[in-house]
Amino acid sequence: MSFEGTQKYIASKELQLAVNAAITLERPLLIKGEPGTGKTMLAEELATSLGTDLIQWHIKSTTKAQQGLYEYDAVSRLRDSQLGDDKVHDISNYIVKGKLWQAFSAEQRPVLLIDEIDKADIEFPNDLLQELDRMEFFVYETRETIKAAQRPIVVITSNNEKELPDAFLRRCFFHYITFPDVDEMRAIVDMHFPNIKKQLLNQALETFFSLREVPGLKKKPSTSELIDWLKLLVAEDIPPEALQSKDGKQTIPPLYGALLKNEQDIHLFEKLIFMARR
């Protein structure tokens, strides 16, 4: 198995090395980076490139590690017992398989995505240490041990909202996706808009990167937001000249709502533009 990116996903040499190293070491790949830098998409395209299934576990603030293993549906069993249903005598009918169980029992080695692990409680990563290490867990209700038929390729993403425990970090292969430079971003855009006018792209990239450099922004525009903005510029047939004022100075870009996502950043940018023009 070797990952080199796909037609839809440009992976840097460093990212390719990280993915392939994690597969070789059979360790979870922990991916960090700014929101919108393609962390989740990496797992999707990795599964595509390897021709295998992707099992996605999207983490929320209320998610518990046990849910990834299995859940016992006691309420359904109680209801069925009141109705006299015969299946109530087999407790396995009320065991709901979690994402890890699905990955462990897959016929073909899958890619398991644990997405945005930092959203969960601080104990969540520690609660998965043994299962990710041994690739097995015990089901107390049925008195059986579930072992992985083959070790899944585990990709874990984090937006750095909270620190992860050291014990968990030691078990992962870590990679931070750095934000693309102008040339890398141009290659990414070319995948989405192969026929975009060069002058429009040049001016849009200049505006985008200068906007990211504005000091004090609460949320810098990301790759996904640039793609959305370009899609709008192309759809509305916005000329390159509209992205810059006649005197060559920066101006408020058209359709800026695709780039700036909160009112504080919009007010800050407008204020800086106004001050620059005085």
Side-chain angles (χ1 to χ4, degrees):
M1 291 184 176
S2 180
F3 178 69
E4 298 178 350
T6 67
Q7 292 182 344
K8 295 182 180 179
Y9 191 92
I10 295 178
S12 66
K13 290 295 183 182
E14 294 78 12
L15 180 56
Q16 294 177 36
L17 287 171
V19 171
N20 294 320
I23 294 174
T24 300
L25 294 173
E26 295 188 331
R27 288 186 177 273
L29 174 62
L30 175 60
I31 295 290
K32 290 187 179 183
E34 288 184 32
T37 50
K39 299 186 296 296
T40 301
M41 190 177 181
L42 168 64
E44 297 169 353
E45 293 303 312
L46 175 59
T48 298
S49 71
L50 299 179
T52 190
D53 293 329
L54 173 66
I55 298 175
Q56 303 185 62
W57 187 14
H58 298 290
I59 307 303
K60 301 177 181 179
S61 60
T62 56
T63 303
K64 302 299 180 184
Q66 180 64 33
Q67 295 172 312
L69 307 179
Y70 71 92
E71 292 184 274
Y72 169 50
D73 191 353
V75 175
S76 293
R77 193 181 189 199
L78 175 62
R79 183 187 64 240
D80 289 344
S81 67
Q82 293 171 339
L83 296 175
D85 197 319
D86 286 340
K87 73 176 186 178
V88 75
H89 301 293
D90 185 357
I91 197 172
S92 65
N93 290 323
Y94 304 95
I95 300 296
V96 181
K97 295 180 180 179
K99 299 297 184 180
L100 265 73
W101 191 331
Q102 295 174 31
F104 287 2
S105 60
E107 294 182 3
Q108 184 182 4
R109 187 184 189 188
V111 173
L112 171 63
L113 170 64
I114 304 177
D115 200 22
E116 298 189 331
I117 193 171
D118 52 323
K119 281 188 175 180
D121 183 85
I122 189 62
E123 291 302 320
F124 178 90
N126 282 333
D127 291 342
L128 288 177
L129 288 180
Q130 180 171 317
E131 287 74 19
L132 291 176
D133 257 354
R134 299 183 180 181
M135 286 290 153
E136 66 178 46
F137 61 90
F138 187 70
V139 183
Y140 293 94
E141 288 79 4
T142 61
R143 317 297 295 176
E144 63 178 326
T145 298
I146 304 300
K147 293 186 177 181
Q150 58 270 317
R151 182 178 285 266
I153 300 169
V154 181
V155 178
I156 302 171
T157 71
S158 169
N159 287 326
N160 257 345
E161 291 185 9
K162 62 171 66 83
E163 290 295 322
L164 298 174
D166 289 343
F168 180 80
L169 294 175
R170 282 198 302 271
R171 289 164 170 80
C172 298
F173 191 94
F174 172 75
H175 181 75
Y176 185 88
I177 297 181
T178 57
F179 198 82
D181 60 24
V182 175
D183 291 336
E184 291 171 334
M185 190 65 80
R186 195 183 301 276
I188 292 171
V189 170
D190 188 56
M191 295 177 66
H192 295 270
F193 307 101
N195 299 317
I196 192 171
K197 295 177 182 178
K198 187 175 180 180
Q199 187 180 358
L200 175 62
L201 176 58
N202 290 341
Q203 188 59 59
L205 288 177
E206 182 179 335
T207 300
F208 173 76
F209 278 99
S210 63
L211 182 56
R212 279 184 56 85
E213 293 174 1
V214 171
L217 280 185
K218 188 175 181 180
K219 183 190 180 308
K220 295 181 179 181
S222 66
T223 305
S224 60
E225 285 149 354
L226 171 63
I227 299 301
D228 288 344
W229 186 50
L230 286 171
K231 186 176 182 179
L232 291 172
L233 294 180
V234 172
E236 298 295 328
D237 197 24
I238 302 295
E241 300 78 31
L243 305 184
Q244 195 173 39
S245 62
K246 293 181 180 180
D247 57 9
K249 293 183 179 180
Q250 190 177 31
T251 184
I252 298 176
L255 304 166
Y256 61 83
L259 297 173
L260 299 174
K261 296 301 178 72
N262 63 68
E263 61 274 16
Q264 296 99 315
D265 286 349
I266 293 173
H267 292 328
L268 172 63
F269 187 62
E270 290 175 340
K271 182 178 180 180
L272 290 174
I273 293 296
F274 174 74
M275 292 175 62
R277 293 190 172 281
R278 292 185 64 180

